[in-house]
Amino acid sequence: MKKNILFTLIFFSLTVTSWAQILKPVSWSFSTEAINDKEAYVVATAKIDKGWHVYSLNIEDGGPIATSLTLSPSKSYTLVGKTTEAPEAEKAFDPNFNMNIAWHENRAVFKQKVKLNTQEAIINGVLEFMVCNDKQCLPPEEIEFKVTASLTFKAVAVTPATPVVDKATESLDTAKNESIDSAVTDTTSKQVFVNAIDTKPLAQEEQSLWAIFLAGFIGGFLALIMPCIFPMLPLTVSFFTKKAGSRAKAVTQAGLYGLFIIVIYVALGLLVTIIFGSDALNEMASNGIFNFVFFLMLVIFAISFFGAFELTLPSAWVNKVDEKSDKGGLAGLFFMAFALALVSFSCTGPIIGTLLVQAASMGELMGPAIGMFGFSLALAIPFTLFAAFPSLLKSLPKSGGWLNSVKVVLGFIELALAFKFLSNVDLAYHWDILDREVFLVLWIVIFALLGLYLLGKIKFSHDADLPFVSVPRLFLSIIVFSFTLYMVPGLWGAPLKAISAWLPPQTTQDFDLYTNSLSSPSEKSNVAKKYAGLFEAPHNLDAFFDYEEGMDYAKSVNKPVLIDFTGHSCVNCRKMEASVWSDPEVLNILKKDYVLISLYVDDKTALPETEQYTSTFSGKKVKTLGNKWSDFQASKFKVNSQPYYVIVNDKEELLTKPEAFNLDISNYIRFLNEGKSNYQNKK
């Protein structure tokens, strides 16, 4: 039963990891604060979400990572004393480490005093911290920052200079340094200017890599129960135990065998990165050609799993590697691992291919290598484990027809996932073929057929006879049919929030009872909008799709502006729109208090020749509408991820710190209200 339950894990794990790419319960801002004509503080301020805590500077051994503020050595300044923290850290019992630990909640300020040796000093530093709640801890993070301190009783946070590209990029040059976060801190004329774009998107990158690793790890366990690998597990372990002569030596050899498996697959991931390069990997998520190739690859993998053909490598390769595996020592163990990778390719190839597609399309440089590390680790652990405890082999189920059923189930899931990539292409090029209801019909049919297969009503050529339906298959079929029925109301516009991130936008729905019930078209402005025929905002929101046009309208109606950097292929954008923007309070604020400008960074609509230009930020030719807005976002905000939300006023001044992917509705309401309040204060 445990093996059969794994059938459904790949779909749900890919869904969950795509939704959970960004978890950022604490945001940091960095500034300097003048003390006198010779000294200043470097200040790191944490704003911590409710229920989370950041740890103190001083932590006992055996506890979490302590917060640390490290400044790079420089002749322009000298450190004075140790880093301080305020308010005083609260000491309480932490269930994650089973001990009393000092931490900060809601807000924390860490200061390092410096003595300035020059009139002005650029200070580089690294902040390391760890954030936890009562149930989980996130991996430790490091944030690089740069601030400037001067001997003029004020200090200004440094923001990198950005070349002027066009009107859209030029308009925010001064706005970044005039953030609303600027505030008078006391009565001694000290001023603190905090950069609104205060951190690099390191948290998002780390979350993406963890998601890729988790997907790879689950994929490795799924590969383990494929027909090409599962029967080899007891044979290989028995070989080690007999040849070694002792348990200790068998465990050592099995461990080295597992290590070589990891080395081989990680090398494959690195090879993908070397071949494509970092730039290509960053573009894969939105590139139409890549997405179409990925669609075709997954369809081929699915057909292979259905039994139409096998993906095999040349037999000469396998035979040559198998011959070398007869050698003793480390070389023999390495070629044994290599032989396993080649022999099992017909089963593992589609899983590896899907994993590499997923990792590459997320745009992370180390994504393919991290994914392969997770995959190979899951594959290698059982060989070492069973070599150490051979008696466990008796608990393994016998090989049989259920192994082929695993392949077929994965084939259905691969086919369903393939249409997500085709949908990305359809949206980016405005083919209008794979609308939301068409996509849903395809998924409903695919998962209904999967349910019938589990019940034995559909049989493929390599399937064994199914004399009866086992209890695990029955429960799996119930899960699949329940999921299938869940999707049916979506044909009439139901939001389907659980899978909304994977579906085409609600705006592509032809017959949509849900959106039409939110508001009437009469609530929208009568202003003729550029690109209105190409895009439509979710939930009947009145949006502009051109930056200059939206800003002009904001000035005429005297409202703040919400810039929504989004994309057709952005899974998290759809999730935000379905789960956060649909909230009645959020929707009401967006309709009444803001001018919404949605900029699609992956749209393939060609710009007129007169509007095309070469970006002075990236050096690349800007030919499409998506190129323009992507270049605008990257050059001005040093961020290339979506969704990304920026609030400015009609003078194009930043009103509050931008937000990224965060499904906390209360946080988004706070973000909108803060921007609205600051807009009123600056009028």
Side-chain angles (χ1 to χ4, degrees):
M1 179 174 179
K2 293 180 180 178
K3 303 301 180 184
N4 285 281
I5 290 175
L6 290 175
F7 290 175
T8 58
L9 281 180
I10 188 170
F11 175 77
F12 293 107
S13 65
L14 289 175
T15 302
V16 169
T17 52
S18 296
W19 291 345
Q21 290 176 18
I22 304 173
L23 182 61
K24 192 175 181 181
V26 57
S27 59
W28 292 88
S29 60
F30 300 93
S31 64
T32 57
E33 178 183 318
I35 301 173
N36 50 48
D37 59 351
K38 292 183 179 180
E39 296 178 315
Y41 282 120
V42 176
V43 184
T45 303
K47 189 173 184 180
I48 309 165
D49 288 352
K50 185 177 181 180
W52 293 83
H53 49 260
V54 169
Y55 293 101
S56 170
L57 295 168
N58 303 302
I59 298 295
E60 299 176 7
D61 292 339
I65 298 295
T67 302
S68 63
L69 185 66
T70 306
L71 305 185
S72 302
S74 173
K75 295 180 180 179
S76 60
Y77 62 88
T78 305
L79 299 182
V80 180
K82 296 182 178 180
T83 306
T84 61
E85 57 189 328
E88 184 177 353
E90 173 189 353
K91 199 161 188 179
F93 180 79
D94 191 330
N96 296 297
F97 300 93
N98 199 30
M99 60 189 294
N100 289 326
I101 304 177
W103 66 46
H104 296 276
E105 295 180 323
N106 301 321
R107 186 175 182 271
V109 179
F110 300 88
K111 292 184 178 182
Q112 173 63 58
K113 184 188 290 188
V114 295
K115 179 182 178 182
L116 301 182
N117 302 324
T118 58
Q119 183 67 26
E120 186 176 272
I122 296 178
I123 303 173
N124 292 283
V126 176
L127 175 86
E128 183 178 18
F129 71 99
M130 187 172 180
V131 58
C132 300
N133 60 19
D134 290 336
K135 297 181 180 178
Q136 63 174 321
C137 286
L138 300 185
E141 292 187 47
E142 290 186 353
I143 299 177
E144 300 175 0
F145 65 90
K146 181 193 294 185
V147 293
T148 296
S150 65
L151 297 178
T152 57
F153 281 93
K154 60 182 179 181
V156 183
V158 171
T159 57
T162 306
V164 175
V165 178
D166 60 4
K167 178 180 177 182
T169 56
E170 180 181 9
S171 60
L172 283 175
D173 270 339
T174 58
K176 285 173 60 181
N177 294 322
E178 296 176 358
S179 167
I180 194 62
D181 288 335
S182 304
V184 178
T185 59
D186 56 34
T187 59
T188 60
S189 300
K190 294 183 290 185
Q191 289 180 312
V192 179
F193 294 85
V194 181
N195 180 14
I197 317 303
D198 51 23
T199 63
K200 297 179 181 180
L202 295 178
Q204 177 183 346
E205 293 176 4
E206 290 188 9
Q207 291 295 328
S208 298
L209 292 176
W210 275 106
I212 294 170
F213 172 82
L214 180 60
F217 195 76
I218 294 175
F221 275 119
L222 289 170
L224 187 66
I225 57 173
M226 298 291 279
C228 303
I229 295 183
F230 187 79
M232 297 176 65
L233 183 59
L235 295 176
T236 306
V237 172
S238 298
F239 171 79
F240 284 133
T241 53
K242 291 178 181 178
K243 185 178 179 181
S246 67
R247 174 193 272 189
K249 191 173 181 181
V251 172
T252 301
Q253 290 185 340
L256 289 171
Y257 179 70
L259 177 63
F260 287 135
I261 290 175
I262 294 174
V263 169
I264 290 168
Y265 281 107
V266 170
L268 174 62
L270 290 173
L271 185 63
V272 171
T273 301
I274 294 171
I275 293 175
F276 289 102
S278 59
D279 289 339
L281 290 176
N282 285 329
E283 293 174 358
M284 282 185 177
S286 60
N287 187 284
I289 296 176
F290 275 123
N291 275 273
F292 190 74
V293 170
F294 292 161
F295 163 72
L296 294 177
M297 286 177 59
L298 293 186
V299 170
I300 293 172
F301 293 158
I303 295 173
S304 171
F305 275 158
F306 289 149
F309 56 84
E310 284 194 356
L311 298 172
T312 58
L313 296 173
S315 58
W317 295 7
V318 179
N319 293 334
K320 189 169 293 186
V321 171
D322 191 49
E323 290 176 6
K324 293 182 179 292
S325 67
D326 293 332
K327 298 180 179 179
L330 294 178
L333 290 173
F334 174 81
F335 283 108
M336 279 185 65
F338 203 178
L340 172 70
L342 296 182
V343 171
S344 63
F345 181 78
S346 62
C347 291
T348 61
I351 297 178
I352 293 172
T354 304
L355 179 61
L356 290 175
V357 165
Q358 179 77 3
S361 66
M362 292 177 75
E364 299 293 351
L365 177 61
M366 293 302 297
I370 294 297
M372 286 296 95
F373 174 68
F375 178 88
S376 56
L377 182 64
L379 206 60
I381 286 176
F383 287 96
T384 305
L385 181 65
F386 286 116
F389 305 99
S391 59
L392 292 177
L393 288 170
K394 298 178 182 179
S395 64
L396 290 178
K398 296 181 179 180
S399 301
W402 68 272
L403 292 174
N404 188 69
S405 298
V406 173
K407 288 180 62 176
V408 175
V409 169
L410 291 179
F412 279 109
I413 295 174
E414 295 254 7
L415 186 60
L417 295 177
F419 285 104
K420 172 57 184 171
F421 292 99
L422 183 61
S423 173
N424 294 341
V425 183
D426 179 76
L427 291 167
Y429 288 94
H430 301 284
W431 292 347
D432 297 328
I433 298 174
L434 203 59
D435 291 344
R436 188 171 184 267
E437 62 267 40
V438 176
F439 188 98
L440 279 170
V441 165
L442 290 169
W443 269 34
I444 290 170
V445 170
I446 290 171
F447 283 97
L449 291 175
L450 173 56
L452 292 173
Y453 173 79
L454 290 170
L455 292 176
K457 302 301 181 183
I458 298 175
K459 184 179 178 181
F460 290 88
S461 58
H462 292 78
D463 283 323
D465 291 332
L466 187 66
F468 61 91
V469 176
S470 64
V471 173
R473 291 182 77 116
L474 175 63
F475 275 92
L476 284 173
S477 64
I478 291 174
I479 293 172
V480 171
F481 279 123
S482 298
F483 177 67
T484 303
L485 291 176
Y486 169 77
M487 291 188 286
V488 172
L491 298 175
W492 291 272
L496 305 181
K497 293 183 180 181
I499 60 170
S500 59
W502 289 83
L503 304 178
Q506 193 97 19
T507 54
T508 64
Q509 186 96 17
D510 292 329
F511 185 61
D512 188 354
L513 297 177
Y514 171 73
T515 301
N516 292 335
S517 68
L518 296 177
S519 62
S520 63
S522 60
E523 294 182 22
K524 296 186 178 181
S525 65
N526 294 322
V527 178
K529 299 182 182 66
K530 195 174 183 181
Y531 308 121
L534 297 177
F535 310 102
E536 187 176 348
H539 310 306
N540 259 340
L541 286 167
D542 187 18
F544 290 82
F545 306 101
D546 179 80
Y547 178 76
E548 294 87 355
E549 186 179 60
M551 291 305 302
D552 289 341
Y553 180 75
K555 292 176 183 177
S556 68
V557 297
N558 196 26
K559 286 184 177 182
V561 173
L562 174 65
I563 306 174
D564 165 33
F565 289 102
T566 184
H568 296 299
S569 60
C570 174
V571 172
N572 286 337
C573 300
R574 303 293 83 78
K575 186 61 180 173
M576 284 290 292
E577 292 164 3
S579 300
V580 178
W581 282 20
S582 61
D583 178 78
E585 187 173 354
V586 172
L587 202 54
N588 185 60
I589 296 173
L590 291 176
K591 288 178 181 177
K592 294 183 178 180
D593 300 323
Y594 279 92
V595 172
L596 175 62
I597 303 177
S598 293
L599 305 178
Y600 284 79
V601 301
D602 58 357
D603 191 76
K604 302 304 178 184
T605 301
L607 291 170
E609 288 284 346
T610 55
E611 295 183 22
Q612 296 182 13
Y613 61 92
T614 299
S615 168
T616 53
F617 174 76
S618 65
K620 296 181 179 180
K621 183 74 173 179
V622 175
K623 296 181 179 180
T624 67
L625 193 60
N627 293 157
K628 179 179 179 180
W629 303 134
S630 177
D631 182 67
F632 174 37
Q633 181 189 10
S635 63
K636 282 299 147 188
F637 302 104
K638 302 299 180 291
V639 173
N640 63 352
S641 61
Q642 296 79 42
Y644 198 67
Y645 306 104
V646 182
I647 295 178
V648 298
N649 61 12
D650 52 6
K651 296 178 182 178
E652 301 178 307
E653 297 171 326
L654 291 168
L655 295 176
T656 187
K657 183 180 180 295
E659 284 286 334
F661 177 74
N662 189 335
L663 295 179
D664 184 352
I665 295 175
S666 61
N667 174 73
Y668 204 79
I669 292 173
R670 176 209 55 78
F671 166 66
L672 295 176
N673 286 335
E674 187 174 284
K676 182 174 61 173
S677 175
N678 291 335
Y679 174 78
Q680 296 296 331
N681 293 337
K682 290 180 74 74
K683 288 177 65 175

